Amino acid sequence: MSSIMLIFGPMLLAPFVYFISRGAEWVAKWAALALFVLLLIISVDLYHALPVGGGFLVLGDYLRVPGFDYALTLQVDALSVAMLILTAALLILVVFTSWEEKMQAAYFSLLILFAGPIFGVFMTTNLLWFFIFWEMTLVPMLFLVGIWGGERKVYAAIKFFLYTHFASMFMLVSFFLIYKQTGQMDFTMIKEAMLATPVLIWWFMFIGFAAKLPLFPFHTWLPDAHVEAPSSISVLLAGVLLKMGAYGLIRFVVEMMPATTMQFSMYMVVLGLTTTLFAGFLAIYERHIKKMVAYSSISHMGLVVVAIATVTYDGLSAALYEMIGHALVISPMFLIAGWVHHKTHTWYMDEMGGIMQKAPYISAIFVLAGMAALGLPGTMGFVGELTIIVSAIKAYGWWIAVAAIASLISAGYVIWAVRRAFHAEISPIVAKSKFDMSKPEFLALCIYAVLIVFFGVYPQPIFDIANNAFAMFGGM
Amino acid sequence: MTSVSIYLILPYVGAALAFILGKMNQKLAFWVAEIVGAILFGTSVYVFMHYGETPIDIDYTWIAYGNLTLPLGIYIDHLSIVMLLIATGLGFADIHFAHDYMGDDPDQPRYYAKVLFFIGGMILLVIAKDLIGAFAGWEFMGLASYLLISFWFKTKSAADAGMQAFLYTRFGDIFLLAAIGLLVYFVGNINMVDLDSLAKAGEIDKTVAFITAIFIFLAAVGKSGQFPLYPWLMNAMEGPTTVSALIHGATMVNSGIYIVARLFDFYAYTDALLVVANVAALSAFIGATSALVQKEIKKILAYSTMSHLSIAFVGLGVGSLAAGMLHLMNHAIFKALLFLSAGAVIYIAHHTKDAWKLGGLIKTAPYVALFMAMGSMSLAGLPPFSGFFSKDMIIAEAITHGSPFVYTLVTIAGLLSIAYITRLWILIFLGEPRNEDIAGHVHAPGNFFIRLPLGILAFVTLGIALYQTDAVEYIVGHEIEEPHVKGLLVGLLLGMATLFAIVVGLYVKGMNLLEKISKHRFMQIIHQLLFRGYYVEAGITFISKNIVVNGIARALRWVDTYMIDWVVNATVPFARMIFRGFRIGHTGRIGDYIGTYAIGVAIIVVAILIIVKGV
């Protein structure tokens, strides 16, 4: 199969699925599941096809017209394949967790529609196409948040859309500036052609990706969007959309302009640490369970930026690990937070209490995911935090050890959330709620739990991918 | 090798099995735990018996990323074996004891799963070669401790106590995490064995060694309940007594001492030991004085735990690895005995924890009284019980090598132990029952599950006293010369006898006098100060509540809502304003358009003129 079908296949399929399944809604669900499993298999296959020792695997070159620079070049390296595998895996789990969603035909068609451009983002190295796919992911997201969301869904959806769209404009400008300077639009060509230190380009591009990550002070869209989005879409937002920002930061900022990045890396570290601590404190103060998780998500992405800013082999590997770890750790927390709200109809943790007595297993999974978020050994959170701290100290010196405070702050909000929502006496609101969960949803949560522990105890497979992805930084 | 795989796999598999099988049948959970505990203890005995000339030493690279590798090696030497015997032996005894104590709890599968997980963490800590493995074991225990303290999470106080324990110890742990990062960077080695030999050879920068040693000690302060992070240990008594016995009396709280002992040469390399000695001496004093006035059985024991851990720390701090480790070992055994006896008392009295509500139990439970008396005498440091030898040795070392501050406080703490433990024993067993309601319901404990472990522990407490010099030699690898301080023994014994007489006099014969004394205003202030543990908990709560949460976090929240997000939201009215400005021109009247058109053309013409002519 032509690899371009990975991108346009789902996009073409989506309307068909919608029209077919309007009469029989289950079709959409199973079609989505089948498609995402297929995508996962192909992604894993791609990983095995990668050249040994790093570098790109060229998949195709389309729309190449002489004298016209905007060819759709598809090539992947270990970093993009890691993102593809993560995306496909999360999409499968999202199907499980949306098993009983309303208006299934439209919902799952939009998910299928989302799968196309997100694969495009990670597969193309042409800046223009990258931008097109980047923006196209927003459209299904806008509808998924705006239609299936909570009370303030329209505000949140529009804020999310406009905010990230506005930030993308900076990115687009920087792409044009690059084109003006180098006359190239493809990543590999630009890397060779760029000689000068492009200060303006760097900052514009950085802002574009920082808003997606999100980095302080561009983070305020995220809590709103996450809170109003249905939980499964929060998983996509945190697990995939934020990773687009980190991916872009690594691919186009660090790999394309390593020298400039090193020049400004101190700003990145300070912003990353500020994000981590700032969001951590906000999470401590938060009564709203899903916002607490959202701030926790921001806090961890701050650490990813600290790792990226090292511009070293080990730092970037740690960043990639934490990106995957963050996706797997924060997702069950979002899902359970949303589920708790769905059952109790309250967002506020001080009105909950004693949920663990009524739903022990699901609460236990929340505790496990929380432990991973606070960096308990044996979970993915610990490996990410440890490797980031170690490589950041190596790159910047002893003072980066203050990042360890993040794991105290995260302990604070996680443990306090468990204490308020899950432990202690059953509150009146909890007493009259019924805590049930469909089997596929519970299965998805268990899969998350198993993955968190498995890759926390045995993290080397992910680091093998990372070592492959960043081998070119090995000599630095 | 087999033993190592048993250590690394069995506790976790056992925990899972205990939970799953226990869900089918409550009793199965206990038996799974009992068998796993027995196998683990048997493995430790086997390792002890078949220890070769050299330590078991396995290197393993856990993560290789970029240019860095993070190791996760195994190292079992004499020090580890002592800790392994303590952890698995007392763990086994504790599981056995829990059969009756936790017998009517509906959540037994969860209980045994957590206990086995805890034992796994403790084992991991003491067989780890690298700081990462040690940190993993350290945190596993922290998690298990949190889960077991809040085992009865239905009650708010238990949930609160668990949260407090986790956060207090976590505060220390982040320093250990930072120390790992710093050591990787500055020394390039986080192997504890190598760190010791590097320090011995003088190949580590002194500042780095001092700072990382202090960081690791801060983690130990949290875990071992030293000043100022001790209040969690007292509140941890909310958990089941079997948990307090195992985790908060005998094993986990020792891990701080163990890690300092493991890195002893690294600590001795700089002044870090001095810090250890001073902090520990202060903690010993605080613990001993606070234990004097507590009401709950378990809180008295908790403060005595704190005080005795500090005494062991002082032993290390004044430079004697042997004395510190010996006291750790002795203390672990007699404290497990005391806590389990307390558990038996609480079990007999239907979960009454207040010592002032008991009394006269010697008639119901003479054996428990006897075993607890043996534990108490060992804790008080009476010859010929084990506690005497190690405590005496530490005080002698402190007088020889320590500063006046250190040895004064540690001597006071050592002496006071006889006062608080005698008081406790008298309150429980002698006199008349103080609460008729409870006295009417007491029942005798069972033999096999309650009295047998107590008896064995009492026997060990007495028996191990015969092997004190062998134990020291085993731990440090050579004979050591005990310092002889003239008249120390006589002085200590005289002091103890006096205190013993005072306590017996007051609590057996002079209750009226005691009441009179305690009514005095000045005594009440002192009493409150000691009862509240020197208000350290209140201080920490104040800081975390008012400064961290309601201060910093609240201020940042304000910044987020009213500054950053305000700017974002303000773009909407701003944009609307601009659009309104544009809309003024769109009136629909043809005259307005022609006029605007004319003005526009004029501006363009002028602009062109200026550009063409001007430049």
Side-chain angles (χ1 to χ4, degrees):
Chain A
M1 193 182 70
S2 166
S3 53
I4 198 168
M5 285 310 284
L6 284 177
I7 302 168
F8 292 106
M11 288 159 79
L12 294 173
L13 197 64
F16 284 105
V17 171
Y18 178 66
F19 287 118
I20 292 169
S21 57
R22 281 215 300 179
E25 297 230 309
W26 59 273
V27 175
K29 190 154 61 187
W30 287 97
L33 187 60
L35 176 72
F36 299 151
V37 169
L38 185 69
L39 288 180
L40 181 64
I41 294 170
I42 294 174
S43 310
V44 174
D45 225 38
L46 275 180
Y47 175 63
H48 292 296
L50 285 178
V52 183
F56 281 101
L57 169 72
V58 180
L59 294 174
D61 198 22
Y62 304 91
L63 305 173
R64 187 171 283 286
V65 183
F68 184 67
D69 289 314
Y70 312 129
L72 175 53
T73 316
L74 297 183
Q75 46 182 356
V76 290
D77 68 349
L79 172 64
S80 9
V81 172
M83 291 292 108
L84 293 181
I85 295 175
L86 176 69
T87 308
L90 283 180
L91 281 169
I92 294 173
L93 291 168
V94 163
V95 173
F96 285 141
T97 51
S98 326
W99 207 253
E100 294 181 339
E101 201 57 75
K102 285 169 284 199
M103 293 184 279
Q104 297 204 340
Y107 183 89
F108 288 102
S109 306
L110 280 170
L111 270 189
I112 294 174
L113 186 63
F114 174 74
I118 191 76
F119 263 61
V121 164
F122 295 130
M123 283 170 73
T124 182
T125 49
N126 186 294
L127 291 185
L128 186 75
W129 282 101
F130 174 80
F131 183 79
I132 291 170
F133 292 136
W134 174 281
E135 290 295 288
M136 276 167 79
T137 59
L138 285 182
V139 180
M141 272 297 150
L142 173 72
F143 290 112
L144 284 168
V145 176
I147 296 174
W148 284 268
E151 294 121 40
R152 293 166 72 227
K153 57 191 176 189
V154 178
Y155 167 77
I158 292 178
K159 186 175 184 179
F160 157 71
F161 187 88
L162 288 181
Y163 204 115
T164 50
H165 189 64
F166 181 68
S168 308
M169 290 303 126
F170 284 94
M171 205 167 82
L172 187 63
V173 171
S174 76
F175 287 174
F176 285 141
L177 289 174
I178 288 175
Y179 185 65
K180 197 174 156 234
Q181 195 186 341
T182 63
Q184 297 291 348
M185 260 304 186
D186 193 78
F187 169 75
T188 19
M189 314 294 266
I190 294 165
K191 233 174 105 181
E192 286 157 19
M194 262 211 311
L195 295 171
T197 47
V199 176
L200 197 64
I201 293 174
W202 191 91
W203 276 107
F204 274 18
M205 209 183 264
F206 178 70
I207 289 173
F209 294 126
K212 200 75 163 188
L213 259 167
L215 210 55
F216 175 88
F218 308 115
H219 63 272
T220 54
W221 65 269
L222 188 138
D224 284 320
H226 273 85
V227 165
E228 299 308 327
S231 299
S232 309
I233 301 307
S234 302
V235 168
L236 282 187
L237 282 173
V240 181
L241 257 78
L242 305 195
K243 301 305 172 310
M244 280 164 56
Y247 170 82
L249 209 53
I250 295 177
R251 166 106 328 138
F252 295 109
V253 176
V254 174
E255 289 189 355
M256 207 153 73
M257 305 177 271
T260 325
T261 312
M262 270 194 254
Q263 190 185 331
F264 295 123
S265 61
M266 203 47 82
Y267 295 102
M268 282 172 81
V269 174
V270 171
L271 275 178
L273 276 181
T274 313
T275 309
T276 300
L277 300 181
F278 186 84
F281 275 114
L282 291 184
I284 284 183
Y285 195 71
E286 198 53 69
R287 291 164 61 224
H288 190 299
I289 185 164
K290 209 168 175 189
K291 263 193 184 163
M292 188 277 293
V293 180
Y295 283 123
S296 159
S297 171
I298 300 176
S299 175
H300 285 93
M301 291 311 284
L303 278 183
V304 171
V305 173
V306 172
I308 293 175
T310 58
V311 201
T312 57
Y313 191 11
D314 35 71
L316 289 168
S317 301
L320 179 58
Y321 183 92
E322 175 72 3
M323 279 155 71
I324 296 170
H326 167 265
L328 295 179
V329 168
I330 217 73
S331 301
M333 292 181 80
F334 269 126
L335 289 168
I336 295 173
W339 170 80
V340 164
H341 171 253
H342 189 65
K343 298 298 169 194
T344 60
H345 305 288
T346 177
W347 280 123
Y348 299 109
M349 287 185 276
D350 31 18
E351 293 171 7
M352 301 171 192
I355 295 176
M356 197 170 245
Q357 291 172 53
K358 297 194 90 174
Y361 294 104
I362 297 166
S363 308
I365 292 175
F366 186 88
V367 173
L368 175 73
M371 287 297 156
L374 64 81
L376 194 92
T379 63
M380 293 190 83
F382 171 67
V383 180
E385 212 162 284
L386 176 76
T387 49
I388 286 175
I389 288 179
V390 166
S391 39
I393 288 181
K394 199 180 132 216
Y396 294 107
W398 58 269
W399 62 271
I400 216 85
V402 296
I405 294 174
S407 58
L408 177 63
I409 294 175
S410 51
Y413 58 74
V414 168
I415 297 293
W416 202 22
V418 172
R419 156 67 189 78
R420 283 183 292 178
F422 296 95
H423 279 170
E425 289 97 354
I426 295 180
S427 78
I429 290 181
V430 171
K432 65 183 182 208
S433 317
K434 194 165 168 282
F435 289 92
D436 53 345
M437 183 181 261
S438 71
K439 284 213 168 69
E441 281 181 73
F442 186 66
L443 175 72
L445 285 181
C446 292
I447 293 174
Y448 280 118
V450 169
L451 288 177
I452 290 171
V453 173
F454 180 79
F455 287 117
V457 175
Y458 182 54
Q460 196 56 46
I462 294 178
F463 282 110
D464 284 341
I465 301 181
N467 291 346
N468 188 340
F470 305 113
M472 67 274 200
F473 289 93
M476 291 174 76
Chain B
M1 296 308 124
T2 343
S3 52
V4 172
S5 11
I6 290 177
Y7 280 144
L8 289 180
I9 296 168
L10 187 65
Y12 312 105
V13 174
L17 270 181
F19 187 79
I20 295 164
L21 293 179
K23 279 287 162 192
M24 297 172 192
N25 184 341
Q26 282 269 345
K27 276 283 156 272
L28 276 179
F30 167 77
W31 288 108
V32 170
E34 175 102 336
I35 291 166
V36 171
I39 295 174
L40 288 174
F41 183 49
T43 312
S44 303
V45 173
Y46 177 84
V47 171
F48 173 67
M49 306 283 268
H50 291 80
Y51 185 80
E53 290 291 304
T54 49
I56 299 174
D57 188 348
I58 303 167
D59 283 314
Y60 173 70
T61 304
W62 185 42
I63 304 175
Y65 74 112
N67 303 322
L68 289 168
T69 52
L70 296 177
L72 203 62
I74 301 293
Y75 188 80
I76 302 180
D77 62 352
H78 283 180
L79 191 63
S80 310
I81 290 175
V82 171
M83 296 299 293
L84 280 173
L85 285 170
I86 292 173
T88 55
L90 296 180
F92 180 43
D94 192 77
I95 290 171
H96 188 79
F97 186 89
H99 177 273
D100 275 10
Y101 190 83
M102 298 298 288
D104 31 342
D105 197 283
D107 274 331
Q108 286 179 54
R110 194 159 57 87
Y111 173 81
Y112 290 111
K114 288 172 179 176
V115 167
L116 286 178
F117 178 73
F118 164 78
I119 295 175
M122 184 80 194
I123 289 173
L124 183 58
L125 168 72
V126 299
I127 67 174
K129 186 180 184 182
D130 301 288
L131 275 174
I132 291 180
F135 186 75
W138 191 270
E139 292 291 291
F140 282 6
M141 286 190 294
L143 172 63
S145 157
Y146 163 66
L147 294 174
L148 282 165
I149 293 169
S150 49
F151 180 73
W152 289 310
F153 54 75
K154 287 170 202 169
T155 47
K156 190 169 162 298
S157 56
D160 279 340
M163 175 172 82
Q164 188 191 28
F166 195 92
L167 293 182
Y168 274 53
T169 49
R170 187 77 184 176
F171 178 81
D173 296 351
I174 64 167
F175 290 98
L176 183 50
L177 190 61
I180 293 175
L182 292 174
L183 284 170
V184 171
Y185 175 56
F186 285 107
V187 186
N189 203 329
I190 46 170
N191 176 331
M192 292 189 281
V193 184
D194 286 357
L195 282 176
D196 273 344
S197 47
L198 285 175
K200 231 174 183 172
E203 282 167 18
I204 305 178
D205 184 66
K206 282 244 177 194
T207 329
V208 173
F210 181 73
I211 287 173
T212 47
I214 294 302
F215 274 18
I216 296 171
F217 179 61
L218 278 170
V221 164
K223 211 61 151 189
S224 297
Q226 301 296 293
F227 176 83
L229 296 178
Y230 59 83
W232 73 267
L233 185 58
M234 315 314 150
N235 293 326
M237 298 299 133
E238 283 288 339
T241 307
T242 41
V243 169
S244 314
L246 183 62
I247 300 184
H248 309 113
T251 53
M252 182 185 85
V253 286
N254 290 334
S255 46
I257 301 164
Y258 166 76
I259 204 125
V260 174
R262 170 60 76 202
L263 291 167
F264 190 70
D265 291 327
F266 184 68
Y267 272 82
Y269 178 53
T270 58
D271 286 340
L273 272 186
L274 216 61
V275 178
V276 173
N278 283 299
V279 172
L282 185 62
S283 308
F285 180 77
I286 289 174
T289 45
S290 295
L292 282 174
V293 299
Q294 298 301 314
K295 285 195 173 114
E296 277 183 33
I297 305 173
K298 290 172 74 180
K299 286 219 167 138
I300 297 173
L301 290 178
Y303 273 110
S304 88
T305 304
M306 171 192 171
S307 174
H308 277 263
L309 294 170
S310 313
I311 291 174
F313 264 127
V314 168
L316 296 177
V318 295
S320 174
L321 175 65
M325 281 306 292
L326 189 67
H327 194 61
L328 180 154
M329 184 182 77
N330 291 338
H331 169 256
I333 296 166
F334 68 65
K335 189 49 66 71
L337 169 61
L338 280 171
F339 259 117
L340 289 184
S341 311
V345 168
I346 293 168
Y347 175 74
I348 292 165
H350 291 279
H351 295 271
T352 308
K353 291 179 182 168
D354 192 341
W356 282 93
K357 288 185 181 156
L358 299 170
L361 277 182
I362 197 163
K363 284 170 222 139
T364 329
Y367 284 102
V368 175
L370 172 68
F371 297 144
M372 191 161 178
M374 286 168 77
S376 305
M377 283 189 270
S378 190
L379 179 133
L382 288 178
F385 290 93
S386 60
F388 160 74
F389 295 96
S390 50
K391 210 189 273 182
D392 183 57
M393 193 168 157
I394 287 173
I395 292 174
E397 292 276 2
I399 290 174
T400 327
H401 302 293
S403 64
F405 176 78
V406 171
Y407 70 70
T408 319
L409 290 185
V410 80
T411 311
I412 293 174
L415 282 175
L416 282 180
S417 55
I418 195 168
Y420 56 74
I421 204 68
T422 311
R423 169 175 173 270
L424 175 65
W425 194 86
I426 290 172
L427 283 176
I428 296 174
F429 291 107
L430 296 187
E432 293 302 314
R434 292 184 193 80
N435 189 319
E436 290 305 322
D437 203 33
I438 293 165
H441 287 94
V442 292
H443 60 83
N447 264 330
F448 182 63
F449 290 111
I450 298 268
R451 281 188 199 155
L452 181 70
L454 291 183
I456 291 174
L457 285 174
F459 178 74
V460 173
T461 307
L462 196 55
I464 204 155
L466 300 173
Y467 298 100
Q468 296 286 301
T469 35
D470 295 315
V472 165
E473 211 177 302
Y474 188 77
I475 293 167
V476 295
H478 53 84
E479 279 185 58
I480 61 152
E481 214 175 306
E482 239 186 282
H484 287 284
V485 181
K486 223 177 171 185
L488 173 66
L489 186 58
V490 181
L492 283 180
L493 287 178
L494 274 178
M496 279 196 255
T498 323
L499 279 167
F500 183 71
I502 292 173
V503 171
V504 172
L506 276 178
Y507 283 84
V508 178
K509 297 283 173 204
M511 278 295 192
N512 299 333
L513 181 64
L514 191 69
E515 261 175 45
K516 256 183 218 159
I517 295 174
S518 59
K519 285 231 172 78
H520 192 275
R521 204 180 144 68
F522 177 69
M523 290 308 280
Q524 271 186 344
I525 292 172
I526 297 279
H527 182 273
Q528 270 303 310
L529 179 71
L530 299 183
F531 189 71
R532 302 250 170 235
Y534 292 82
Y535 292 99
V536 168
E537 185 181 6
I540 293 176
T541 310
F542 179 83
I543 291 172
S544 51
K545 200 171 172 184
N546 293 320
I547 297 181
V548 177
V549 176
N550 287 329
I552 300 172
R554 195 177 182 177
L556 292 180
R557 158 82 171 235
W558 190 89
V559 169
D560 192 53
T561 318
Y562 294 102
M563 290 170 76
I564 300 171
D565 206 31
W566 184 86
V567 172
V568 175
N569 286 329
T571 51
V572 176
F574 181 68
R576 208 171 272 157
M577 209 171 71
I578 293 173
F579 297 148
R580 254 188 221 129
F582 280 122
R583 241 169 33 198
I584 293 171
H586 295 247
T587 55
R589 277 191 296 250
I590 197 90
D592 292 349
Y593 290 146
I594 293 173
T596 331
Y597 177 76
I599 294 168
V601 170
I603 290 172
I604 291 168
V605 169
V606 171
I608 291 172
L609 284 177
I610 288 172
I611 291 167
V612 174
K613 297 262 169 164
V615 179

